[in-house]
Amino acid sequence: MPPLVKIRSERDQMSAIERRIADFILDNAHLLRDYSSQQLASALGVSQSSVVKFSQKLGFKGYPDLKYSVGTAVARNGDGAPVPQQEPAADADVFTRLQDGLRRSKAAAEEETRSLNPRANIEAIVGLIDQAGKVFVCGLGDDGLFAREFAMRLSLLGLLTVHHADPILMMANLSAVRPGDTLVMFSEFGKLPQLSQVSRQFQACEGKVISITRHTANPLRAHADAALVISAHDPAPHVEQLLYRSSLQSLLDFVFVLLCQSNPDRYRQLNINLERIQQMLDS
């Protein structure tokens, strides 16, 4: 996992001193090569041993190992590395700069998301969905938009899919849950108590829960049987939301493609359903 992605993903579980070190590295990754452990400690008002322990806690041998890893990531235009930009001379330059910047940010967020979801985890989730008797899909607000589209795609594969945008109706529908059924729960921050309650009740019915959240510590992800996680970071809130949506869609598309490829019967059913829909549109 890229070092800055690892730091961001574990920040919520860090102590106050560790967060201070983490925030400095995330904001100044391109300058870290100029700091020794003592200089970094002095700049942040912490002990040198705190910097060393921070590095080791992240899995590095020590601070030099962390600094080298971050420097390598920055040299490769990795996450957190600022891209030098010239001041625009005209409106056309502003247009191009924004367009290229958003494209690079989306690509970086999607790459981080890929690195945070290892092959074994994704294949296990594909197996849970493919083998489920019924797949329940739930999401609220913006999450509900992705939940609805994903439920539609699962239906096209011949999976019996039940979509809910209301946790109360989902709770009422738990009587239909059977062992082996799967619930895919969309929640960007994973903190809504209603969704966690539905998740626990679903598991009490011997169903499996797959959470889809940001790569943060949250109740929904902590109690799920399997989890897909999304990485999206940007100083501008409106851009960060776009990065989240882009990374989430990319990950869902990959899961859908895997479902198509891993089961020939699903792929065959998809083509049949697409043909039926096309015939309806042509009539």
Side-chain angles (χ1 to χ4, degrees):
M1 183 186 301
L4 300 182
V5 176
K6 188 174 182 62
I7 292 172
R8 274 197 293 262
S9 66
E10 297 187 11
R11 185 187 179 281
D12 290 346
Q13 291 81 47
M14 294 178 180
S15 66
I17 291 178
E18 290 170 342
R19 284 198 298 272
R20 195 184 310 172
I21 299 172
D23 290 342
F24 181 89
I25 293 175
L26 291 173
D27 294 338
N28 303 278
H30 58 300
L31 300 177
L32 196 64
R33 65 179 182 275
D34 299 326
Y35 283 81
S36 66
S37 59
Q38 182 59 60
Q39 289 171 326
L40 179 59
S42 298
L44 297 176
V46 302
S47 67
Q48 185 177 14
S49 63
S50 295
V51 174
V52 175
K53 290 177 181 177
F54 173 85
S55 304
Q56 293 172 339
K57 188 174 181 179
L58 289 170
F60 297 96
K61 295 178 181 179
Y63 175 73
D65 190 25
L66 169 62
K67 182 167 71 170
Y68 175 79
S69 182
V70 171
T72 301
V74 170
R76 294 174 179 171
N77 281 331
D79 43 49
V83 178
Q85 295 175 348
Q86 297 179 348
E87 289 297 320
D91 289 344
D93 293 326
V94 176
F95 180 94
T96 301
R97 178 171 59 84
L98 290 175
Q99 186 179 52
D100 290 345
L102 181 58
R103 176 180 55 78
R104 287 194 298 269
S105 295
K106 282 186 174 182
E110 290 175 15
E111 181 59 36
E112 290 179 15
T113 297
R114 281 194 291 271
S115 69
L116 291 169
N117 293 276
R119 176 175 177 173
N121 288 11
I122 294 181
E123 288 180 338
I125 287 171
V126 168
L128 285 175
I129 295 174
D130 183 54
Q131 297 167 19
K134 295 184 293 296
V135 180
F136 294 78
V137 182
C138 186
L140 310 182
D142 282 351
D143 292 311
L145 300 176
F146 288 96
R148 180 180 179 181
E149 182 184 2
F150 190 61
M152 180 198 70
R153 292 189 180 280
L154 295 183
S155 297
L156 289 173
L157 292 173
L159 286 157
L160 179 54
T161 308
V162 183
H163 170 243
H164 281 289
D166 186 328
I168 295 178
L169 293 178
M170 178 66 221
M171 187 70 78
N173 211 210
L174 289 176
S175 59
V177 178
R178 298 292 181 267
D181 287 350
T182 296
L183 168 63
V184 183
M185 184 70 82
F186 288 73
S187 179
E188 180 174 354
F189 299 101
K191 295 181 179 180
L192 289 175
Q194 310 96 302
L195 299 186
S196 293
Q197 186 176 358
V198 169
S199 175
R200 289 193 295 269
Q201 291 296 325
F202 194 91
Q203 290 171 319
C205 298
E206 300 184 53
K208 299 294 185 181
V209 174
I210 300 169
S211 67
I212 302 179
T213 70
R214 280 184 175 269
H215 187 58
T216 58
N218 61 76
L220 184 61
R221 178 187 173 192
H223 294 97
D225 297 288
L228 292 173
V229 293
I230 312 300
S231 177
H233 304 277
D234 194 272
H238 66 288
V239 175
E240 184 171 59
Q241 187 60 33
L242 294 176
L243 301 185
Y244 177 82
R245 293 169 65 91
S246 174
S247 298
L248 173 56
Q249 189 62 64
S250 176
L251 184 58
L252 292 177
D253 288 346
F254 184 53
V255 170
F256 176 73
V257 169
L258 285 176
L259 283 165
C260 293
Q261 298 298 322
S262 62
N263 189 330
D265 291 335
R266 299 285 182 212
Y267 186 66
R268 190 178 306 111
Q269 188 62 54
L270 171 65
N271 289 326
I272 292 173
N273 285 332
L274 289 177
E275 185 176 349
R276 288 171 177 168
I277 293 173
Q278 190 60 48
Q279 289 175 352
M280 182 179 294
L281 293 174
D282 292 339
S283 62

